[in-house]
């Protein structure tokens, strides 16, 4: 096998990773459907979905490490002689096995999509409890629409978010592409990225602080569908 073939395989693995991420998002959406249909009660199927999310997170992590190790090993030896390629293969296998054996499944709880999944369940339960407690009063329709628009607007672009990300530190939301672009731009200037929400005291927004907010994304999509029907 040549190095070009190896790079092609790594590219395929990255594509596979994208599909895994999409699958995890679908599982999260189904979990939200179940929570809504059960009026906030935890459906037994949720536990199975959580196990599925963890397995996907494990596979995603292993692909990351495998790709990193292959790139590291091939960078150390650029020769494409057959005997050298066999040697590289054995070295990759050795390093990958050593790395995987040193990992803990407990670390999977920190995977961004696992965190997002658990946040969905928690938010669904909180929302159900809140709705049952606040059934005594209805908001004026115009006020509700205004609040909805504010909640759905990205503070960076000032347009409706597509893929909202929640900041774990200050709880503000931004569109994923916008906030990641802002962080990259500020870091390229050797500066910290301040939260773009006016009045927020968070002066150092980091990518590691951001988690996907599937609940908010679902609300945005629902509002769009309702708007298209009218």
């Amino acid at each position: 096998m040549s190095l070009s073939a190896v790079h092609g395989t790594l590219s395929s693995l990255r594509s596979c990773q994208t599909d895994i991420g999409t699958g995890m998002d679908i599982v999260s959406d189904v979990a939200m459907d179940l929570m809504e249909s059960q009026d906030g009660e935890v459906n037994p199927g949720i536990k199975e979905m959580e196990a599925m999310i963890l397995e996907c997170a494990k596979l995603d992590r292993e692909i990351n490490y495998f790709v990193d190790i292959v790139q590291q090993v091939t960078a150390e030896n650029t020769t494409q002689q057959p005997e050298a390629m066999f040697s590289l293969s054995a070295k990759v296998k050795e390093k990958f096995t050593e790395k995987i054996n040193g990992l803990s499944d407990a670390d999977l709880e920190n995977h961004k999509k696992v965190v997002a999944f658990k946040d969905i369940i928690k938010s669904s339960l909180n929302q159900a409890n809140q709705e049952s407690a606040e059934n005594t009063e209805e908001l004026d329709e115009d006020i509700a629409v205004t609040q909805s628009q504010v909640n759905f607007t990205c503070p960076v672009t000032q347009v409706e978010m597509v893929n909202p990300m929640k900041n774990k530190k200050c709880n503000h939301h931004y569109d994923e592409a916008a906030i990641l672009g802002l962080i990259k731009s500020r870091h390229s200037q050797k500066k910290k990225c301040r939260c773009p929400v006016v009045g927020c005291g968070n002066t150092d927004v980091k990518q590691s602080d951001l988690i996907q907010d599937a609940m908010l994304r679902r609300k945005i999509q629902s509002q769009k569908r309702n708007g298209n029907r009218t």
Side-chain angles (χ1 to χ4, degrees), residues 50-86:
E50 183 177 344
M52 192 182 305
I53 287 284
L54 287 169
E55 281 299 315
C56 288
K58 186 175 183 179
L59 181 57
D60 181 64
R61 179 180 68 178
E62 290 180 357
I63 291 176
N64 271 333
Y65 284 128
F66 182 77
V67 170
D68 288 345
I69 289 170
V70 171
Q71 289 177 334
Q72 176 189 340
V73 171
T74 54
E76 293 171 355
N77 192 336
T78 57
T79 180
Q80 299 196 36
Q81 295 300 321
E83 60 274 12
M85 295 304 294
F86 282 118

Side-chain angles (χ1 to χ4, degrees), residues 154-169:
C154 172
V156 181
T157 63
Q158 295 302 313
V159 298
E160 188 175 79
M161 291 179 282
V162 176
N163 190 21
M165 303 289 286
K166 179 181 177 181
N167 191 315
K168 293 183 292 184
K169 287 188 174 179

Side-chain angles (χ1 to χ4, degrees), residues 86-97:
F86 282 118
S87 174
L88 291 179
S89 177
K91 193 171 183 180
V92 167
K93 185 176 180 180
E94 178 187 352
K95 283 180 171 288
F96 180 69
T97 302

